[in-house]
Amino acid sequence: MDRVDPVDRLHHRHAGDGWVECAQGHRHWGRFGAAGLLLARRDGSGDVDAVVLQHRALWSDQGGTWAFPGGALSPGEPAEQGALREAAEEAGVPPGAVRVLGASVVDHGGWTYTTVLAEALTDLEPAATDAESVEVAWVDLDDVERRSLLPAFGEAWPHLRRLLEGRPDPSDASGPAAPTVT
């Protein structure tokens, strides 16, 4: 009988895993693109008060930083499905416990990252459920920028926060480099 390394089981490897170079010359994880779930929680008045963030494992690319659960898409996997799968694998978020609100896509030419925006439908408690997470927690909106953020998430956070809060984003008119909502 073949022995399976327990660490391999915790990494949820699939055919989309791997590095690619985009048309801009950047190296990205996800042979078929990548996606993640930015899950919001609403307070009693209906305002977004927190989001689920993942403290990334030190061994991972840009490890030790905070972002939302996400990763490589499988071949042919829609971004929304991939984001929900990644959030379930890495943060224990049941796909049926969220409502998808929309998506923001960054296209680097030959590689895309889709942030799926969603809200929790139940009182769920996310948790680190695989080796890619040191910690997973609800983080108050005003505390997000106080964390050591994954650089790409840090750059996108003001835009993504405005989308979650339903506020217009002046950067949407800045041209093709700005993320678009689908």
Side-chain angles (χ1 to χ4, degrees):
M1 180 167 99
D2 290 335
R3 195 165 162 246
V4 177
D5 185 337
V7 173
D8 284 346
R9 284 194 310 245
L10 295 175
H11 289 296
H12 310 285
R13 291 196 169 97
H14 59 81
D17 287 348
W19 293 100
V20 297
E21 189 173 310
C22 71
Q24 298 175 15
H26 304 131
R27 200 173 89 133
H28 301 283
W29 182 255
R31 295 177 51 230
F32 307 101
L37 185 73
L38 182 54
L39 181 61
R41 179 180 69 195
R42 295 191 183 276
D43 62 17
S45 65
D47 294 328
V48 173
D49 71 343
V51 292
V52 171
L53 291 186
Q54 169 196 45
H55 190 192
R56 299 162 52 82
L58 294 175
W59 57 262
S60 68
D61 182 44
Q62 300 177 48
T65 59
W66 289 81
F68 46 87
L73 295 172
S74 295
E77 182 178 40
E80 180 179 316
Q81 182 181 332
L84 291 169
R85 174 185 50 75
E86 289 284 340
E89 290 173 0
E90 297 176 357
V93 174
V98 306
R99 175 184 14 247
V100 172
L101 303 171
S104 178
V105 180
V106 176
D107 188 342
H108 281 238
W111 185 87
T112 59
Y113 190 93
T114 303
T115 300
V116 175
L117 304 152
E119 63 185 357
L121 297 173
T122 64
D123 286 334
L124 62 92
E125 211 40 59
T129 52
D130 74 2
E132 295 182 39
S133 306
V134 173
E135 176 184 3
V136 175
W138 286 109
V139 176
D140 290 339
L141 286 186
D142 293 333
D143 292 336
V144 169
E145 291 175 335
R146 293 184 183 117
R147 307 273 171 143
S148 176
L149 300 178
L150 180 82
F153 175 51
E155 289 177 31
W157 173 241
H159 170 75
L160 295 171
R161 180 176 180 166
R162 283 190 289 274
L163 290 176
L164 284 175
E165 294 176 327
R167 296 185 288 132
D169 187 344
S171 70
D172 284 342
S174 67
T180 56
V181 177
T182 58

